[in-house]
Amino acid sequence: MSGWPVAIANGWYPLARLSDLGRKPVARRLLGQPLVVFAGKRDPVVLHDRCPHRGMPLSEGRVANGRIICPYHGWAFGDGGVCRAVPGSRDVTAVSAAALPVRIAAGMVWTTLGDGAFPVLPAAMEDEALDRFWWPVAASRARVLDALENHLDPAHPHHVHPWIVRAPDKRQLVAVTVEVTNDGASTTYVEETRATGLIPRLFEGHRTTSIGRLYPPTIGEVAFTGPAGLRLSIAVVFVPEDAATTRPWAHFATPRGRLPASLKRILLKAFHRPILAQDRRILSRQADRKGAYAIGPLDFLGPAIWGFANGNPPPPSRYETSVLL
Ligand code: FES
Ligand SMILES: [Fe+2]
């Protein structure tokens, strides 16, 4: 695990949705380590994906009665990775597959390879009053902090997602408040009404606010609010699988409304699929180059992202500025 920023090495990460656990074990990577997740008798179990007998990947076996069965000689491992059966023998070998700590939060199974605190989660992830879903997508070539910054970066949509997120040639004056606290950091964007500002439009919520929030070490939330409160929260937990492979778990939350949750899910995924593909192309090319990064005037959260990840967060602060977005 050497080489990872200290807070990343000690972070907690989601591996699978509770609903993903069935008869098949789920194989995952975390910080370069192969892991396996399965439904134990009581709780989900996370093990290093290596049978202690002869090193076979347990994830290639199957799950029965809350135990994972190794595909080589059939040893069965249960809660805590404890060996419960050795086929062909009445004795059970007193050995365990290496188990990791497990937490359940927001419908996901989380684990850690280190000893860090469980992260603060965006409130929308645990708000039962909202329509919520996780969007599972494949891991892709990206460095975890590049991916996190990309999600919170206001300066690339004109270039990377022209027309989908922003008109490429139209920019608006946007007031920005950047805040760093002990728990994380945020950027709040308020689109200014035009100077000729029509009062009725104001009352109808012409101003829109969006907030990018960092929940260290690797969670970023973009939330859009209107006069009635939250309209959409997109919170992504970036899971560092390897140095240049990252799995983004995107969580969408919207207030209950006229559209059924299932339809919103289809629409949100359809809208974000091209955006994801465009960001992935950038992130994979970025991962091909090493070296230090320069800080520009619109890089509001980059320094906080790197600071928290490296156990060296910036001091609490708050400032206001404006940009053309
Ligand atoms: S290698 Fe797993 S049971 Fe032998
Ligand atoms: Fe993007």
Side-chain angles (χ1 to χ4, degrees):
M1 281 222 296
S2 61
W4 291 97
V6 59
I8 302 274
N10 288 299
W12 284 81
Y13 302 99
L15 298 179
R17 296 172 296 184
L18 280 172
S19 57
D20 293 330
L21 304 184
R23 297 169 61 91
K24 277 193 163 177
V26 175
R28 291 285 186 241
R29 290 184 74 82
L30 179 61
L31 300 165
Q33 306 286 317
L35 305 180
V36 59
V37 192
F38 68 97
K41 269 208 169 32
R42 278 195 320 272
D43 296 312
V45 179
V46 178
L47 306 175
H48 282 277
D49 190 11
R50 180 186 178 280
C51 179
H53 182 219
R54 288 295 180 273
M56 184 68 196
L58 291 168
S59 61
E60 294 174 24
R62 63 195 166 84
V63 181
N65 301 320
R67 294 170 181 172
I68 191 167
I69 319 288
C70 179
Y72 194 176
H73 309 95
W75 290 22
F77 303 89
D79 290 333
V82 178
C83 182
R84 294 292 181 192
V86 172
S89 167
R90 279 189 215 106
D91 298 328
V92 172
T93 309
V95 71
S96 294
L100 275 69
V102 171
R103 285 273 290 265
I104 308 296
M108 303 280 299
V109 182
W110 302 63
T111 196
T112 182
L113 291 164
D115 58 3
F118 197 81
V120 175
L121 300 183
M125 270 188 198
E126 300 186 289
D127 187 340
E128 311 246 313
L130 301 172
D131 283 332
R132 299 167 297 161
F133 70 93
W134 287 101
W135 185 23
V137 296
S140 72
R141 179 165 172 76
R143 289 184 291 233
V144 67
L145 295 182
D146 287 346
L148 172 61
E149 188 190 28
N150 168 270
H151 183 50
L152 297 173
D153 169 31
H156 77 278
H158 291 278
H159 300 278
V160 179
H161 317 297
W163 300 113
I164 303 182
V165 179
R166 293 264 176 200
D169 50 350
K170 271 200 195 136
R171 287 184 180 256
Q172 290 206 336
L173 191 64
V174 174
V176 186
T177 305
V178 182
E179 191 169 13
V180 177
T181 65
N182 290 322
D183 294 334
S186 66
T187 336
T188 304
Y189 307 89
V190 179
E191 302 212 355
E192 304 275 316
T193 49
R194 287 183 201 90
T196 53
L198 299 168
I199 290 169
R201 296 179 94 179
L202 250 182
F203 279 106
E204 286 160 25
H206 184 63
R207 288 156 67 109
T208 59
T209 299
S210 61
I211 307 172
R213 288 197 195 91
L214 166 67
Y215 297 80
T218 70
I219 303 174
E221 179 189 33
V222 176
F224 301 90
T225 60
L230 178 73
R231 285 210 292 246
L232 170 64
S233 153
I234 308 170
V236 185
V237 189
F238 294 92
V239 179
E241 294 202 336
D242 285 293
T245 308
T246 298
R247 181 183 297 268
W249 279 100
H251 178 277
F252 290 83
T254 49
R256 297 227 164 93
R258 257 164 284 164
L259 284 184
S262 54
L263 180 58
K264 281 193 283 189
R265 181 186 296 230
I266 291 167
L267 293 175
L268 283 166
K269 289 203 289 198
F271 179 75
H272 283 92
R273 202 165 275 123
I275 298 176
L276 177 70
Q278 289 163 338
D279 282 327
R280 286 187 157 182
R281 194 185 66 80
I282 295 286
L283 290 165
S284 73
R285 301 299 292 135
Q286 207 181 355
D288 293 340
R289 296 289 183 273
K290 288 197 166 71
Y293 289 164
I295 310 282
L298 275 72
D299 296 334
F300 301 119
L301 292 182
I305 288 170
W306 306 323
F308 277 101
N310 286 294
N312 185 23
S317 66
R318 182 190 161 95
Y319 68 91
E320 286 169 22
T321 181
S322 61
V323 290
L324 292 164
L325 289 181

